[in-house]
Amino acid sequence: MYGVGGGGGGFNAPSTTSGRRRNPGDEEEDEEEETGEGRVLEAWERAYADDRSWEALQEDESGLLRPIDTKTLVHAQYRRRLLLRSAADAAVRIQKGLIRYLYIVIDLSRAASEMDYRPSRMAVVAKHAEAFIREFFDQNPLSHVGLVTIKDGISHRLTDIGGSPESQIKALLGKLECSGDSSLQNALELVHGYLDQVPSYGHKEVLILYSALNTCDPGDIMETIEKCKKSKIRCSIIGLAAEIFICKHICEETGGSYTVALDESHFKELLLEHAPPPPAIAEHAAANLIKMGFPQRGAEDLISICSCHKKIKSGAEGYICPRCKVNVCELPTECRTCGLTLVSSPHLARSYHHLFPVAPFDEVSSVPNRIQRGVQNCFGCQQNLFNPDGQTSLHVRCPKCSQHFCLDCDIYIHESLHNCPGCESQRSFSSQ
Amino acid sequence: MTSAHSKLYSDDVSLVVVVVDTNPFFWATAALPFADFFANLVHFVNSILLLNHLNRVVVIASGVSSCAYIFDSGDASPAGGVGVAATFDKASRKVEEFIAQDAHATASNSSAASANAASLLSGALSLAMCYIQRIFRSGTRHPQPRILCLQGSPDGPEQYVAVMNSIFSAQRSMVPIDSCIVGTQDSAFLQQASYITGGVYLKPQELNGLFQYLAAVFATDLHSRTFLRLPKTLGVDFRASCFCHKKTIDMGYVCSVCLSIFCKNQKKCSTCG
């Protein structure tokens, strides 16, 4: 389903590379491109030749053109994903790995400088990785992320594994250059070495953003895969080029997910799917009780030196570690002096919605107005649910509280709010 | 998810969503009668609508067993003066209807709804956020939304997760949640809400002058707030309470699977085992 040539976006790669190979000696400029006949194509002409812009139009029943109703398309796509996810959750007892130690491996080999993703694969990867890191820390505040790169067949650790997004993002925005081959085995070996030092209650994960079509390894990659499997590291790969057997094999063996992106927006979608915690296999992480501290803000008149920047700060601007009483600037963090993990209760509360998700809503098909009495407006936003022709447009209904919601509220409730307004506005006097 | 929106509307147009606590158990014993409180609120809503002709106000009532929309200034007829009095009459009637319905629903539920019953703050905040998302979707020219909670009843601990979800959603959409406490005790939920979202938390000392507090502190739009010195809360208590004894703790043990908090180290987590 995800191979080369699937869908409109995938055709970009073959046409541009074949064009380049046929005229290797020609100069390539930014706005124009050579075709086989030697005529220069303008950018707007490329929209027809390469991007097939006529595919964005649809015909309705009488043969007249109309633009695609993106809203119902987006909603239908969204519901499919949601149903898939909840079906998977319902099958096993919901246990999610909430404390995650994730290494992101970025491929900086020669293949990453290809320009089928504009401006280049590496730039697109860096941009979306930054958005992913922010989203990741938003959904998993107690987790840690580190960055590793593969270049010239050797993998380097770009940043140490850490609990705050700023240092990772700063490294991503720095100058990144591509060259050489890529080696999956070296990357996995490096990550395996680092993830071994992680506490046993954490879920170990690797996310590889792979642009190359091959891997040049110094040894037997199957052994490395066995090692990772034994250390319970969950490895997922997002490919930018084509489906590769070894990547699929790694993901199957370690229990991760392998997907190949068709174009830039698809890549972003696939990447952000890795932000919510994956269903956890119970034996992969020991269920411990971790000692954590809940610091309070210091008094206004307390002046001390903060332990992270070594600068003088007033007590009211920082937090006081409950065990060793040093000043820390922000949460969540690990106290530098005594090693206690410091969090505040909203950080823990941010993860609770993963444990109590909202049930998917049922679709309610359009019915004429006279049959459905009493349902005029969406319960959440009071938007009129009726089409101008008197029928109710497509909307949804919560199975628990039977309130009707419009499509936009449905998407908002399930993606961001995680509360059903109807269920919350009802008092259930039975013990919850 | 949407975060910042381009301010193509003039800077000081605001949409205020007012969440009113209509818990009859609280108002039965409150120092200020509900009718006076509602009158103060109506004057406040009027004054916001007078500040800018594009301002909009929505009032949501949170009762003990249900929540509902009471008033939406966007629904009012564009005719001028006569319309204003009529809409406020309509709002007062709707509030009375809502309180009656809510009381009926509470009575028919018939379990021990004690004097300490909490109002459904989580439901009202969720409705407010859904409405605000609709405003964001209406295009690039939209007012700057904010939420004002007038709360008197105590916090219901069973609503903690839902209230926190609404707060984080408001934080992501950059919607400040202001709180004005008209009861006797501080509300920890609303203190956290105002702190996390950047709103104002106030507990007026003199309830008879409620309108003055509302107009001075909560009527200004978000852009102009940067020029004012508004009341600042000193210490928001972010400590957690343990699940076993419900006392606030400084250091505790957190289960790595279900994130339940305990005060003493145990062999097995009692929530997930």
Side-chain angles (χ1 to χ4, degrees):
Chain A
M1 196 166 68
Y2 288 107
V4 163
F11 277 95
N12 279 333
S15 60
T16 52
T17 47
S18 63
R20 233 178 269 133
R21 265 191 246 115
R22 249 180 270 150
N23 307 300
D26 291 333
E27 243 178 66
E28 196 168 85
E29 289 180 350
D30 280 328
E31 291 92 14
E32 297 166 355
E33 227 183 80
E34 299 269 337
T35 58
E37 294 88 16
R39 189 175 75 86
V40 168
L41 271 187
E42 303 283 342
W44 58 267
E45 287 174 318
R46 263 190 289 145
Y48 298 121
D50 294 344
D51 300 338
R52 293 157 45 131
S53 52
W54 61 87
E55 288 188 343
L57 296 173
Q58 249 190 10
E59 277 185 14
D60 65 9
E61 301 79 43
S62 46
L64 298 170
L65 287 177
R66 65 146 192 244
I68 291 185
D69 183 9
T70 47
K71 188 164 137 175
T72 23
L73 258 180
V74 163
H75 185 77
Q77 217 179 22
Y78 170 76
R79 285 188 64 82
R80 261 204 314 270
R81 267 204 331 251
L82 194 60
L83 283 169
L84 273 170
R85 211 183 298 164
S86 47
D89 280 342
V92 298
R93 197 170 141 228
I94 300 175
Q95 278 214 5
K96 300 211 175 168
L98 292 173
I99 303 187
R100 305 161 73 181
Y101 290 85
L102 172 73
Y103 265 101
I104 304 180
V105 176
I106 301 186
D107 179 6
L108 291 180
S109 62
R110 216 179 308 125
S113 55
E114 293 273 325
M115 304 223 244
D116 56 350
Y117 286 75
R118 301 188 180 99
S120 73
R121 285 184 187 168
M122 170 196 72
V124 165
V125 163
K127 183 171 88 169
H128 291 307
E130 183 202 333
F132 169 73
I133 290 179
R134 287 196 198 278
E135 179 73 20
F136 180 82
F137 278 109
D138 199 49
Q139 299 218 12
N140 307 275
L142 302 170
S143 308
H144 297 72
V145 166
L147 291 174
V148 164
T149 59
I150 315 177
K151 200 164 118 171
D152 292 322
I154 307 179
S155 53
H156 290 288
R157 181 170 69 173
L158 195 60
T159 62
D160 204 358
I161 200 160
S164 106
E166 298 312 316
S167 50
Q168 322 293 341
I169 291 179
K170 214 162 61 144
L172 266 181
L173 296 178
K175 207 154 176 294
L176 295 170
E177 285 165 3
C178 308
S179 66
D181 295 320
S182 88
S183 165
L184 273 178
Q185 184 185 11
N186 283 338
L188 285 177
E189 288 280 343
L190 187 71
V191 166
H192 176 265
Y194 287 132
L195 283 179
D196 258 350
Q197 302 160 4
V198 136
S200 63
Y201 51 76
H203 284 82
K204 304 175 197 156
E205 294 177 37
V206 183
L207 177 62
I208 306 183
L209 305 173
Y210 209 58
S211 325
L213 281 172
N214 60 359
T215 166
C216 300
D217 299 327
D220 186 5
I221 194 173
M222 298 300 179
E223 280 175 17
T224 314
I225 299 177
E226 277 307 307
K227 252 171 61 177
C228 289
K229 204 164 141 182
K230 222 180 297 181
S231 314
K232 317 270 181 47
I233 301 179
R234 180 178 185 265
C235 184
S236 300
I237 303 185
I238 300 182
L240 280 95
E243 182 178 3
I244 309 172
F245 170 74
I246 188 64
C247 295
K248 194 160 149 191
H249 183 74
I250 294 178
C251 296
E252 273 173 6
E253 289 285 306
T254 54
S257 79
Y258 179 44
T259 46
V260 176
L262 295 173
D263 54 25
E264 187 173 336
S265 53
H266 189 218
F267 174 67
K268 181 169 172 195
E269 214 182 277
L270 291 175
L271 189 55
L272 289 178
E273 266 183 19
H274 284 93
I281 307 176
E283 308 83 43
H284 272 206
N288 291 353
L289 292 190
I290 313 162
K291 186 160 182 157
M292 292 198 185
F294 301 99
Q296 278 188 299
R297 283 193 175 267
E300 270 277 344
D301 47 1
L302 173 72
I303 312 273
S304 60
I305 301 181
C306 79
S307 56
C308 19
H309 308 107
K310 313 284 188 292
K311 287 201 200 131
I312 294 187
K313 289 236 157 111
S314 143
E317 289 167 26
Y319 301 89
I320 309 286
C321 169
R323 189 153 72 178
C324 63
K325 310 284 188 262
V326 310
N327 196 324
V328 291
C329 290
E330 47 171 35
L331 299 179
T333 185
E334 243 182 51
C335 173
R336 284 192 185 215
T337 320
C338 63
L340 182 64
T341 314
L342 298 173
V343 295
S344 65
S345 44
H347 290 123
L348 294 179
R350 254 183 224 281
S351 305
Y352 287 151
H353 70 85
H354 295 302
L355 304 167
F356 309 113
V358 183
F361 290 167
D362 303 321
E363 262 182 36
V364 175
S365 48
S366 322
V367 283
N369 191 359
R370 40 191 168 77
I371 299 185
Q372 192 142 110
R373 273 181 284 113
V375 178
Q376 278 272 35
N377 296 328
C378 161
F379 183 73
C381 62
Q382 301 292 297
Q383 196 167 39
N384 206 330
L385 287 173
F386 289 127
N387 271 338
D389 54 7
Q391 294 218 339
T392 53
S393 56
L394 185 63
H395 58 277
V396 290
R397 195 177 61 111
C398 171
K400 291 195 191 143
C401 59
S402 308
Q403 295 286 4
H404 292 248
F405 295 96
C406 61
L407 294 186
D408 300 302
C409 282
D410 180 25
I411 295 182
Y412 174 64
I413 288 171
H414 285 98
E415 284 198 338
S416 184
L417 187 59
H418 305 292
N419 279 347
C420 166
C423 299
E424 292 301 324
S425 305
Q426 266 179 357
R427 166 78 64 175
S428 62
F429 279 105
S430 55
S431 59
Q432 270 180 331
Chain B
M1 201 57 222
T2 52
S3 50
H5 290 263
S6 60
K7 296 200 289 184
L8 290 186
Y9 239 23
S10 132
D11 276 346
D12 53 359
V13 179
S14 44
L15 160 72
V16 184
V17 182
V18 184
V19 171
V20 178
D21 180 9
T22 59
N23 185 346
F25 298 105
F26 164 71
W27 286 112
T29 56
L32 183 71
F34 184 75
D36 290 347
F37 164 76
F38 197 70
N40 276 317
L41 176 66
V42 160
H43 291 316
F44 172 65
V45 168
N46 233 338
S47 59
I48 292 187
L49 292 173
L50 281 174
L51 280 173
N52 189 315
H53 70 285
L54 294 169
N55 277 351
R56 288 174 65 168
V57 177
V58 174
V59 179
I60 298 177
S62 70
V64 175
S65 316
S66 54
C67 301
Y69 283 86
I70 297 294
F71 173 75
D72 183 347
S73 71
D75 283 344
S77 65
V82 176
V84 173
T87 44
F88 283 122
D89 263 343
K90 201 167 71 164
S92 312
R93 252 181 294 126
K94 260 206 114 173
V95 151
E96 282 165 15
E97 261 174 41
F98 171 75
I99 294 181
Q101 264 176 359
D102 190 46
H104 183 71
T106 316
S108 69
N109 248 317
S110 84
S111 38
S114 65
N116 247 353
S119 59
L120 294 172
L121 180 64
S122 55
L125 282 179
S126 307
L127 287 178
M129 286 312 300
C130 284
Y131 188 88
I132 288 176
Q133 291 302 312
R134 173 183 162 195
I135 295 298
F136 281 149
R137 283 193 301 264
S138 67
T140 43
R141 302 175 77 83
H142 61 77
Q144 299 295 309
R146 63 182 191 271
I147 300 180
L148 169 63
C149 287
L150 297 163
Q151 181 82 350
S153 354
D155 292 332
E158 68 277 2
Q159 292 174 31
Y160 177 68
V161 178
V163 170
M164 294 310 280
N165 282 338
S166 319
I167 294 173
F168 294 134
S169 188
Q171 186 195 25
R172 281 176 87 169
S173 315
M174 310 222 297
V175 172
I177 299 182
D178 300 324
S179 352
C180 180
I181 305 295
V182 297
T184 44
Q185 341 150 294
D186 280 319
S187 158
F189 288 175
L190 287 177
Q191 270 181 340
Q192 292 200 12
S194 299
Y195 181 80
I196 291 177
T197 56
V200 178
Y201 175 88
L202 180 71
K203 184 165 178 297
Q205 286 140 340
E206 189 61 51
L207 281 179
N208 285 325
L210 183 64
F211 172 70
Q212 190 169 346
Y213 286 102
L214 291 178
V217 178
F218 297 111
T220 28
D221 56 279
L222 296 181
H223 177 72
S224 312
R225 280 190 183 187
T226 50
F227 311 128
L228 298 177
R229 281 189 75 167
L230 293 170
K232 226 172 31 162
T233 18
L234 292 178
V236 183
D237 196 351
F238 275 133
R239 288 178 303 175
S241 15
C242 68
F243 283 31
C244 33
H245 310 111
K246 303 275 188 265
K247 54 178 165 78
T248 36
I249 44 174
D250 261 343
M251 276 193 288
Y253 295 87
V254 175
C255 171
S256 56
V257 174
C258 63
L259 298 187
S260 341
I261 307 170
F262 302 101
C263 43
K264 286 197 270 291
N265 202 347
Q266 301 164 336
K267 280 292 175 207
K268 271 172 40 130
C269 165
S270 49
T271 323
C272 66

